[in-house]
């Protein structure tokens, strides 16, 4: 089948670009002695996760148990859940996973630690635990080395848990300062830090400049998107997923409506300096997708010299590609410009 | 099972409130002589669509062929696709549907009309066609009565097509002016307008004040959300879907992180005057969900006298509930405060 024959809207993945993105990041990590533990949140596809490991990744990162279950079923055998799991229901599922594959989790609080401990006790399997620290995201993570050390001490003292090290997102000066202080104080306390894991594609290429980082968790580099291009982490030619949409209405000379709305592209924006609107129309870069309804993308053509016709097919580069993967039951894989097949997004929608 | 035992994050639907919302809207329409053709985009659930018809709806509205296929499979037999369908692939699917159930579509251009005509010719079944007009949404729809009349004339002259009337969204003064002019000019041209269909929950309760409107297309009223409450179309007690989330981190006294991010709540905002943040925490209304990542909801507690604990379960009212339904493979139905079952969201993700 030809790309032009696919019904729209449809997410299309250039498998050749994905392979190149995988190799480029693995080469970067190899060159700098970093372990690569890719985050599957972007593609959510078991065959791509397996490919990342074939190329040298030490394992994978998932955000949710449901994603890890899909990946374990597909043969991935070293999985970090970089998210605090809390409560007995999560502990039960973590235990079942830990009996099958090498599991580790990130915690920033005592309840998440208790959950990991309960899972280890229930499974009889050892579970690795990293302590997540705050480094500028203003999200999850302990704020001080003292808190990290207290949690690490509890992990070391808990049967079935293996203290795996420290984890953060993003990597920058705040991360470097925390790591430096932690290395001194953990050493003084006699606790080794096997792994320091840093995340985020936008700053990935400078991960080696943050002293002490041993592992890189990145996801978006698989496909890249308008945000990682704006961050300087990729070029438009690295972007591997785009949505093909059709102009379904041309009500005025300045307005086109495409059949890709928020159900297809999500409502995620990028920073204003990174670009306007809800995605980049690759063939009409002066056009702006000014508004999304669920199924309508309203496009302002007033800045375009050349304008798309009714019925024309357009390629949209998403602002944030990870959420686009999550919206679609399947993506179309393309090789050498031809449709190679349709692949179910096996780990999409795994919210728990 | 108890609601408190559900794994989070999870969308929970109060079936009693849904039933009440259905009855209230049907009563309104009956009282004012309006036909009700509910839009299934909000719930995407066949059993609720059937219930709407049982209570008196004349049929249903879908936005996409994929939704209509699910609903036809479930026994719904009068379906309007309120969206321009363009091209032979869409025509084939429309034809297959038209052989099974009474189908109508909305058009605002010649290509969409050609698609409907091709489907009618291929199926041998009659297809109803409405002409969509612009009434303030700035989206899809002809801008003048002359254009509407030209399309209607073509529809009337096309074998297999039945001119069904006019359609718009939203209902307001611009719609009223267009309808008034259209009635005169269509009458002069000898073309009857069987249906004038108006859409949108926010202005639904004043639909009867727009002269000439015969049919109401509304979807959000099934569940309501923060936006329809802000519009004055509902109260918080009418809201039937909320997301139960867990506090998974409390990194600072002023910050909680919940396990509902954009993959659970979507990134849709409401107008600033309607409320801040990415959803309303029903038990902590002074809290603000200031940012969503895919799996993290970051909550600012600085305005809260009472604050949630780590591990506490919170109820979130979504800003825009339709997109939340689309994110979840299933919703949990609750009756009399108890879990009645888990229902697959059969028409979710139907983007084509």
């Amino acid at each position: 089948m030809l790309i032009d024959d696919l019904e729209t809207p449809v997410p299309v993945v250039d498998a050749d670009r994905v392979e190149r993105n995988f190799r480029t990041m693995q080469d970067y990590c190899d060159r700098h002695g970093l372990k690569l533990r890719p985050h599957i949140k972007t593609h959510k596809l078991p065959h791509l996760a397996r490919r990342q490991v074939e190329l040298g990744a030490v394992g994978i990162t998932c955000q949710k148990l449901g994603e890890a279950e899909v990946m374990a079923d597909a043969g991935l055998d070293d999985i970090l859940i970089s998210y605090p799991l809390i409560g007995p229901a999560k502990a039960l599922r973590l235990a079942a996973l830990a009996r099958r594959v090498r599991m580790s989790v990130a915690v920033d609080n005592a309840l998440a630690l208790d959950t990991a401990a309960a899972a280890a006790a229930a499974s009889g399997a050892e579970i690795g635990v990293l302590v997540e620290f705050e480094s500028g995201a203003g999200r999850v993570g302990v704020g001080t080395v003292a808190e990290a050390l207290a949690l690490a001490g509890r992990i070391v003292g808990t049967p079935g848990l293996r203290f795996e090290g420290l984890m953060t997102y993003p990597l920058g000066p705040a991360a470097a300062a925390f790591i430096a202080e932690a290395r001194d104080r953990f050493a003084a306390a006699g606790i080794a830090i096997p792994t320091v894991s840093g995340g985020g594609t936008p700053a990935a290429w400078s991960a080696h400049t943050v002293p002490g980082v041993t592992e890189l968790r990145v996801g978006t580099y698989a496909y890249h998107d308008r945000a990682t291009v704006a961050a300087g982490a990729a070029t438009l030619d690295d972007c591997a997923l785009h949505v093909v949409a059709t102009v379904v209405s041309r009500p005025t000379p300045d307005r086109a409506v495409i059949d890709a709305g928020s159900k297809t592209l999500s409502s995620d924006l990028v920073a204003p300096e990174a670009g306007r609107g809800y995605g980049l129309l690759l063939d009409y870069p002066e056009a702006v997708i000014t508004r999304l309804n669920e199924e309508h993308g309203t496009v302002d053509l007033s800045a375009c010299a050349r304008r798309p016709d009714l019925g024309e097919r357009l390629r949209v580069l998403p602002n944030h590609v990870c959420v686009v993967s999550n919206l679609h039951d399947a993506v179309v894989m393309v090789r050498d410009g031809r449709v190679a097949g349709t692949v179910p997004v096996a780990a999409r929608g795994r919210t728990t």
Side-chain angles (χ1 to χ4, degrees), chain A residues 211-242:
Chain A
V213 171
T214 66
E215 177 182 280
L216 189 58
R217 299 182 331 281
V218 279
T220 315
Y221 83 102
Y223 290 163
H224 284 299
D225 57 19
R226 206 181 185 198
T228 67
V229 170
T235 69
L236 286 179
D237 282 343
D238 299 321
C239 293
L241 183 148
H242 61 269

PDB file of all heavy atoms in Angstrom, chain A residues 211-242:
ATOM      1  N   PRO A 211      29.043  15.576  35.816  1.00  0.00           N
ATOM      2  CA  PRO A 211      29.914  14.590  36.464  1.00  0.00           C
ATOM      3  C   PRO A 211      29.117  13.603  37.315  1.00  0.00           C
ATOM      4  O   PRO A 211      28.217  14.001  38.070  1.00  0.00           O
ATOM      5  CB  PRO A 211      30.833  15.446  37.345  1.00  0.00           C
ATOM      6  CG  PRO A 211      30.777  16.819  36.754  1.00  0.00           C
ATOM      7  CD  PRO A 211      29.406  16.957  36.183  1.00  0.00           C
ATOM      8  N   GLY A 212      29.455  12.342  37.174  1.00  0.00           N
ATOM      9  CA  GLY A 212      28.857  11.325  38.028  1.00  0.00           C
ATOM     10  C   GLY A 212      27.701  10.585  37.399  1.00  0.00           C
ATOM     11  O   GLY A 212      27.308   9.518  37.881  1.00  0.00           O
ATOM     12  N   VAL A 213      27.138  11.119  36.327  1.00  0.00           N
ATOM     13  CA  VAL A 213      26.018  10.431  35.677  1.00  0.00           C
ATOM     14  C   VAL A 213      26.543   9.155  35.001  1.00  0.00           C
ATOM     15  O   VAL A 213      27.567   9.181  34.310  1.00  0.00           O
ATOM     16  CB  VAL A 213      25.345  11.349  34.633  1.00  0.00           C
ATOM     17  CG1 VAL A 213      24.330  10.569  33.788  1.00  0.00           C
ATOM     18  CG2 VAL A 213      24.652  12.509  35.336  1.00  0.00           C
ATOM     19  N   THR A 214      25.845   8.050  35.232  1.00  0.00           N
ATOM     20  CA  THR A 214      26.282   6.767  34.659  1.00  0.00           C
ATOM     21  C   THR A 214      25.285   6.206  33.657  1.00  0.00           C
ATOM     22  O   THR A 214      25.618   5.309  32.888  1.00  0.00           O
ATOM     23  CB  THR A 214      26.459   5.696  35.760  1.00  0.00           C
ATOM     24  OG1 THR A 214      25.174   5.394  36.336  1.00  0.00           O
ATOM     25  CG2 THR A 214      27.398   6.180  36.854  1.00  0.00           C
ATOM     26  N   GLU A 215      24.053   6.718  33.694  1.00  0.00           N
ATOM     27  CA  GLU A 215      22.995   6.101  32.879  1.00  0.00           C
ATOM     28  C   GLU A 215      22.105   7.192  32.304  1.00  0.00           C
ATOM     29  O   GLU A 215      21.797   8.173  32.989  1.00  0.00           O
ATOM     30  CB  GLU A 215      22.163   5.156  33.764  1.00  0.00           C
ATOM     31  CG  GLU A 215      20.989   4.508  33.060  1.00  0.00           C
ATOM     32  CD  GLU A 215      20.174   3.613  34.003  1.00  0.00           C
ATOM     33  OE1 GLU A 215      20.602   2.483  34.243  1.00  0.00           O
ATOM     34  OE2 GLU A 215      19.123   4.074  34.492  1.00  0.00           O
ATOM     35  N   LEU A 216      21.658   6.997  31.089  1.00  0.00           N
ATOM     36  CA  LEU A 216      20.786   7.976  30.435  1.00  0.00           C
ATOM     37  C   LEU A 216      19.433   7.339  30.142  1.00  0.00           C
ATOM     38  O   LEU A 216      19.346   6.282  29.517  1.00  0.00           O
ATOM     39  CB  LEU A 216      21.449   8.449  29.132  1.00  0.00           C
ATOM     40  CG  LEU A 216      20.808   9.623  28.401  1.00  0.00           C
ATOM     41  CD1 LEU A 216      20.726  10.859  29.283  1.00  0.00           C
ATOM     42  CD2 LEU A 216      21.602   9.936  27.131  1.00  0.00           C
ATOM     43  N   ARG A 217      18.386   8.000  30.635  1.00  0.00           N
ATOM     44  CA  ARG A 217      17.007   7.578  30.335  1.00  0.00           C
ATOM     45  C   ARG A 217      16.416   8.602  29.370  1.00  0.00           C
ATOM     46  O   ARG A 217      16.204   9.763  29.756  1.00  0.00           O
ATOM     47  CB  ARG A 217      16.132   7.555  31.595  1.00  0.00           C
ATOM     48  CG  ARG A 217      16.582   6.626  32.676  1.00  0.00           C
ATOM     49  CD  ARG A 217      15.615   6.628  33.866  1.00  0.00           C
ATOM     50  NE  ARG A 217      14.918   7.882  34.061  1.00  0.00           N
ATOM     51  CZ  ARG A 217      15.432   8.955  34.643  1.00  0.00           C
ATOM     52  NH1 ARG A 217      16.667   8.950  35.101  1.00  0.00           N
ATOM     53  NH2 ARG A 217      14.709  10.043  34.778  1.00  0.00           N
ATOM     54  N   VAL A 218      16.164   8.190  28.172  1.00  0.00           N
ATOM     55  CA  VAL A 218      15.587   9.088  27.172  1.00  0.00           C
ATOM     56  C   VAL A 218      14.532   8.333  26.385  1.00  0.00           C
ATOM     57  O   VAL A 218      14.650   7.127  26.169  1.00  0.00           O
ATOM     58  CB  VAL A 218      16.670   9.643  26.211  1.00  0.00           C
ATOM     59  CG1 VAL A 218      17.411  10.808  26.839  1.00  0.00           C
ATOM     60  CG2 VAL A 218      17.653   8.550  25.787  1.00  0.00           C
ATOM     61  N   GLY A 219      13.505   9.045  25.993  1.00  0.00           N
ATOM     62  CA  GLY A 219      12.435   8.406  25.247  1.00  0.00           C
ATOM     63  C   GLY A 219      12.157   9.075  23.918  1.00  0.00           C
ATOM     64  O   GLY A 219      12.092   8.437  22.873  1.00  0.00           O
ATOM     65  N   THR A 220      12.018  10.400  23.959  1.00  0.00           N
ATOM     66  CA  THR A 220      11.547  11.125  22.782  1.00  0.00           C
ATOM     67  C   THR A 220      12.500  11.000  21.603  1.00  0.00           C
ATOM     68  O   THR A 220      12.090  11.125  20.441  1.00  0.00           O
ATOM     69  CB  THR A 220      11.316  12.606  23.153  1.00  0.00           C
ATOM     70  OG1 THR A 220      10.620  12.664  24.406  1.00  0.00           O
ATOM     71  CG2 THR A 220      10.470  13.306  22.111  1.00  0.00           C
ATOM     72  N   TYR A 221      13.788  10.729  21.874  1.00  0.00           N
ATOM     73  CA  TYR A 221      14.770  10.617  20.784  1.00  0.00           C
ATOM     74  C   TYR A 221      14.387   9.542  19.768  1.00  0.00           C
ATOM     75  O   TYR A 221      14.895   9.542  18.652  1.00  0.00           O
ATOM     76  CB  TYR A 221      16.165  10.325  21.356  1.00  0.00           C
ATOM     77  CG  TYR A 221      16.415   8.862  21.663  1.00  0.00           C
ATOM     78  CD1 TYR A 221      17.165   8.075  20.794  1.00  0.00           C
ATOM     79  CD2 TYR A 221      15.864   8.267  22.789  1.00  0.00           C
ATOM     80  CE1 TYR A 221      17.374   6.726  21.055  1.00  0.00           C
ATOM     81  CE2 TYR A 221      16.075   6.926  23.052  1.00  0.00           C
ATOM     82  CZ  TYR A 221      16.831   6.161  22.194  1.00  0.00           C
ATOM     83  OH  TYR A 221      17.022   4.830  22.453  1.00  0.00           O
ATOM     84  N   ALA A 222      13.536   8.608  20.152  1.00  0.00           N
ATOM     85  CA  ALA A 222      13.131   7.565  19.200  1.00  0.00           C
ATOM     86  C   ALA A 222      12.444   8.194  17.987  1.00  0.00           C
ATOM     87  O   ALA A 222      12.719   7.817  16.840  1.00  0.00           O
ATOM     88  CB  ALA A 222      12.185   6.573  19.881  1.00  0.00           C
ATOM     89  N   TYR A 223      11.561   9.143  18.243  1.00  0.00           N
ATOM     90  CA  TYR A 223      10.795   9.780  17.162  1.00  0.00           C
ATOM     91  C   TYR A 223      11.174  11.252  16.974  1.00  0.00           C
ATOM     92  O   TYR A 223      11.031  11.783  15.900  1.00  0.00           O
ATOM     93  CB  TYR A 223       9.294   9.721  17.477  1.00  0.00           C
ATOM     94  CG  TYR A 223       8.639   8.366  17.412  1.00  0.00           C
ATOM     95  CD1 TYR A 223       7.390   8.163  18.016  1.00  0.00           C
ATOM     96  CD2 TYR A 223       9.223   7.295  16.746  1.00  0.00           C
ATOM     97  CE1 TYR A 223       6.750   6.936  17.954  1.00  0.00           C
ATOM     98  CE2 TYR A 223       8.586   6.062  16.687  1.00  0.00           C
ATOM     99  CZ  TYR A 223       7.350   5.885  17.292  1.00  0.00           C
ATOM    100  OH  TYR A 223       6.706   4.674  17.236  1.00  0.00           O
ATOM    101  N   HIS A 224      11.568  11.902  18.036  1.00  0.00           N
ATOM    102  CA  HIS A 224      11.724  13.365  18.077  1.00  0.00           C
ATOM    103  C   HIS A 224      10.408  14.063  17.716  1.00  0.00           C
ATOM    104  O   HIS A 224       9.449  13.435  17.261  1.00  0.00           O
ATOM    105  CB  HIS A 224      12.878  13.854  17.189  1.00  0.00           C
ATOM    106  CG  HIS A 224      14.227  13.596  17.800  1.00  0.00           C
ATOM    107  ND1 HIS A 224      14.608  14.136  18.983  1.00  0.00           N
ATOM    108  CD2 HIS A 224      15.281  12.831  17.367  1.00  0.00           C
ATOM    109  CE1 HIS A 224      15.842  13.738  19.277  1.00  0.00           C
ATOM    110  NE2 HIS A 224      16.263  12.928  18.323  1.00  0.00           N
ATOM    111  N   ASP A 225      10.377  15.358  17.961  1.00  0.00           N
ATOM    112  CA  ASP A 225       9.153  16.116  17.704  1.00  0.00           C
ATOM    113  C   ASP A 225       9.495  17.597  17.656  1.00  0.00           C
ATOM    114  O   ASP A 225      10.670  17.984  17.743  1.00  0.00           O
ATOM    115  CB  ASP A 225       8.078  15.795  18.749  1.00  0.00           C
ATOM    116  CG  ASP A 225       8.535  16.052  20.187  1.00  0.00           C
ATOM    117  OD1 ASP A 225       9.515  16.804  20.401  1.00  0.00           O
ATOM    118  OD2 ASP A 225       7.918  15.488  21.106  1.00  0.00           O
ATOM    119  N   ARG A 226       8.477  18.395  17.525  1.00  0.00           N
ATOM    120  CA  ARG A 226       8.707  19.833  17.407  1.00  0.00           C
ATOM    121  C   ARG A 226       9.422  20.395  18.643  1.00  0.00           C
ATOM    122  O   ARG A 226      10.224  21.322  18.538  1.00  0.00           O
ATOM    123  CB  ARG A 226       7.349  20.516  17.242  1.00  0.00           C
ATOM    124  CG  ARG A 226       7.414  21.824  16.508  1.00  0.00           C
ATOM    125  CD  ARG A 226       6.017  22.386  16.436  1.00  0.00           C
ATOM    126  NE  ARG A 226       5.939  23.590  15.646  1.00  0.00           N
ATOM    127  CZ  ARG A 226       4.929  24.430  15.734  1.00  0.00           C
ATOM    128  NH1 ARG A 226       3.917  24.178  16.556  1.00  0.00           N
ATOM    129  NH2 ARG A 226       4.903  25.516  15.000  1.00  0.00           N
ATOM    130  N   ALA A 227       9.142  19.804  19.804  1.00  0.00           N
ATOM    131  CA  ALA A 227       9.767  20.306  21.036  1.00  0.00           C
ATOM    132  C   ALA A 227      11.249  19.960  21.087  1.00  0.00           C
ATOM    133  O   ALA A 227      12.068  20.798  21.472  1.00  0.00           O
ATOM    134  CB  ALA A 227       9.044  19.736  22.265  1.00  0.00           C
ATOM    135  N   THR A 228      11.623  18.744  20.706  1.00  0.00           N
ATOM    136  CA  THR A 228      13.053  18.408  20.785  1.00  0.00           C
ATOM    137  C   THR A 228      13.834  19.108  19.679  1.00  0.00           C
ATOM    138  O   THR A 228      15.010  19.418  19.860  1.00  0.00           O
ATOM    139  CB  THR A 228      13.304  16.876  20.754  1.00  0.00           C
ATOM    140  OG1 THR A 228      12.949  16.333  19.488  1.00  0.00           O
ATOM    141  CG2 THR A 228      12.535  16.169  21.859  1.00  0.00           C
ATOM    142  N   VAL A 229      13.184  19.385  18.550  1.00  0.00           N
ATOM    143  CA  VAL A 229      13.840  20.194  17.516  1.00  0.00           C
ATOM    144  C   VAL A 229      14.067  21.609  18.050  1.00  0.00           C
ATOM    145  O   VAL A 229      15.156  22.175  17.915  1.00  0.00           O
ATOM    146  CB  VAL A 229      13.016  20.217  16.214  1.00  0.00           C
ATOM    147  CG1 VAL A 229      13.573  21.240  15.224  1.00  0.00           C
ATOM    148  CG2 VAL A 229      12.988  18.825  15.576  1.00  0.00           C
ATOM    149  N   ALA A 230      13.037  22.158  18.689  1.00  0.00           N
ATOM    150  CA  ALA A 230      13.169  23.514  19.236  1.00  0.00           C
ATOM    151  C   ALA A 230      14.255  23.578  20.303  1.00  0.00           C
ATOM    152  O   ALA A 230      14.938  24.590  20.454  1.00  0.00           O
ATOM    153  CB  ALA A 230      11.832  23.985  19.820  1.00  0.00           C
ATOM    154  N   ALA A 231      14.438  22.471  21.026  1.00  0.00           N
ATOM    155  CA  ALA A 231      15.464  22.428  22.071  1.00  0.00           C
ATOM    156  C   ALA A 231      16.861  22.246  21.483  1.00  0.00           C
ATOM    157  O   ALA A 231      17.848  22.248  22.223  1.00  0.00           O
ATOM    158  CB  ALA A 231      15.154  21.304  23.058  1.00  0.00           C
ATOM    159  N   GLY A 232      16.951  22.052  20.181  1.00  0.00           N
ATOM    160  CA  GLY A 232      18.255  21.866  19.557  1.00  0.00           C
ATOM    161  C   GLY A 232      18.775  20.444  19.650  1.00  0.00           C
ATOM    162  O   GLY A 232      19.930  20.167  19.332  1.00  0.00           O
ATOM    163  N   ALA A 233      17.924  19.517  20.097  1.00  0.00           N
ATOM    164  CA  ALA A 233      18.356  18.126  20.255  1.00  0.00           C
ATOM    165  C   ALA A 233      18.196  17.314  18.973  1.00  0.00           C
ATOM    166  O   ALA A 233      18.638  16.166  18.908  1.00  0.00           O
ATOM    167  CB  ALA A 233      17.572  17.462  21.388  1.00  0.00           C
ATOM    168  N   ALA A 234      17.564  17.894  17.976  1.00  0.00           N
ATOM    169  CA  ALA A 234      17.315  17.158  16.732  1.00  0.00           C
ATOM    170  C   ALA A 234      17.033  18.165  15.621  1.00  0.00           C
ATOM    171  O   ALA A 234      16.817  19.355  15.880  1.00  0.00           O
ATOM    172  CB  ALA A 234      16.117  16.225  16.898  1.00  0.00           C
ATOM    173  N   THR A 235      17.038  17.660  14.389  1.00  0.00           N
ATOM    174  CA  THR A 235      16.620  18.485  13.251  1.00  0.00           C
ATOM    175  C   THR A 235      15.294  17.929  12.729  1.00  0.00           C
ATOM    176  O   THR A 235      14.880  16.816  13.100  1.00  0.00           O
ATOM    177  CB  THR A 235      17.644  18.440  12.107  1.00  0.00           C
ATOM    178  OG1 THR A 235      17.621  17.116  11.540  1.00  0.00           O
ATOM    179  CG2 THR A 235      19.047  18.753  12.617  1.00  0.00           C
ATOM    180  N   LEU A 236      14.674  18.661  11.854  1.00  0.00           N
ATOM    181  CA  LEU A 236      13.412  18.168  11.279  1.00  0.00           C
ATOM    182  C   LEU A 236      13.625  16.820  10.580  1.00  0.00           C
ATOM    183  O   LEU A 236      12.721  15.978  10.560  1.00  0.00           O
ATOM    184  CB  LEU A 236      12.843  19.186  10.286  1.00  0.00           C
ATOM    185  CG  LEU A 236      12.224  20.451  10.900  1.00  0.00           C
ATOM    186  CD1 LEU A 236      11.727  21.381   9.798  1.00  0.00           C
ATOM    187  CD2 LEU A 236      11.063  20.092  11.838  1.00  0.00           C
ATOM    188  N   ASP A 237      14.820  16.615  10.035  1.00  0.00           N
ATOM    189  CA  ASP A 237      15.087  15.354   9.329  1.00  0.00           C
ATOM    190  C   ASP A 237      15.214  14.163  10.270  1.00  0.00           C
ATOM    191  O   ASP A 237      15.254  13.016   9.823  1.00  0.00           O
ATOM    192  CB  ASP A 237      16.371  15.475   8.502  1.00  0.00           C
ATOM    193  CG  ASP A 237      16.135  16.242   7.216  1.00  0.00           C
ATOM    194  OD1 ASP A 237      14.960  16.382   6.821  1.00  0.00           O
ATOM    195  OD2 ASP A 237      17.120  16.716   6.625  1.00  0.00           O
ATOM    196  N   ASP A 238      15.350  14.429  11.556  1.00  0.00           N
ATOM    197  CA  ASP A 238      15.398  13.324  12.526  1.00  0.00           C
ATOM    198  C   ASP A 238      13.993  12.908  12.954  1.00  0.00           C
ATOM    199  O   ASP A 238      13.831  11.849  13.577  1.00  0.00           O
ATOM    200  CB  ASP A 238      16.187  13.742  13.770  1.00  0.00           C
ATOM    201  CG  ASP A 238      17.635  14.097  13.444  1.00  0.00           C
ATOM    202  OD1 ASP A 238      18.241  13.404  12.598  1.00  0.00           O
ATOM    203  OD2 ASP A 238      18.147  15.077  14.023  1.00  0.00           O
ATOM    204  N   CYS A 239      13.023  13.718  12.688  1.00  0.00           N
ATOM    205  CA  CYS A 239      11.672  13.453  13.207  1.00  0.00           C
ATOM    206  C   CYS A 239      11.055  12.281  12.454  1.00  0.00           C
ATOM    207  O   CYS A 239      10.953  12.304  11.222  1.00  0.00           O
ATOM    208  CB  CYS A 239      10.813  14.701  13.095  1.00  0.00           C
ATOM    209  SG  CYS A 239      11.396  16.005  14.204  1.00  0.00           S
ATOM    210  N   ALA A 240      10.663  11.262  13.193  1.00  0.00           N
ATOM    211  CA  ALA A 240      10.290   9.988  12.575  1.00  0.00           C
ATOM    212  C   ALA A 240       8.790   9.750  12.544  1.00  0.00           C
ATOM    213  O   ALA A 240       8.339   8.845  11.847  1.00  0.00           O
ATOM    214  CB  ALA A 240      10.978   8.835  13.301  1.00  0.00           C
ATOM    215  N   LEU A 241       8.025  10.498  13.298  1.00  0.00           N
ATOM    216  CA  LEU A 241       6.573  10.306  13.262  1.00  0.00           C
ATOM    217  C   LEU A 241       5.912  11.587  12.787  1.00  0.00           C
ATOM    218  O   LEU A 241       6.191  12.668  13.308  1.00  0.00           O
ATOM    219  CB  LEU A 241       6.027   9.921  14.643  1.00  0.00           C
ATOM    220  CG  LEU A 241       4.509   9.618  14.699  1.00  0.00           C
ATOM    221  CD1 LEU A 241       4.204   8.568  15.764  1.00  0.00           C
ATOM    222  CD2 LEU A 241       3.644  10.853  14.944  1.00  0.00           C
ATOM    223  N   HIS A 242       5.066  11.445  11.808  1.00  0.00           N
ATOM    224  CA  HIS A 242       4.183  12.565  11.491  1.00  0.00           C
ATOM    225  C   HIS A 242       2.780  12.030  11.266  1.00  0.00           C
ATOM    226  O   HIS A 242       2.581  10.827  11.061  1.00  0.00           O
ATOM    227  CB  HIS A 242       4.706  13.391  10.318  1.00  0.00           C
ATOM    228  CG  HIS A 242       4.830  12.657   9.031  1.00  0.00           C
ATOM    229  ND1 HIS A 242       5.970  12.006   8.640  1.00  0.00           N
ATOM    230  CD2 HIS A 242       3.942  12.450   8.043  1.00  0.00           C
ATOM    231  CE1 HIS A 242       5.787  11.441   7.462  1.00  0.00           C
ATOM    232  NE2 HIS A 242       4.556  11.685   7.082  1.00  0.00           N
TER     233      HIS A 242
END
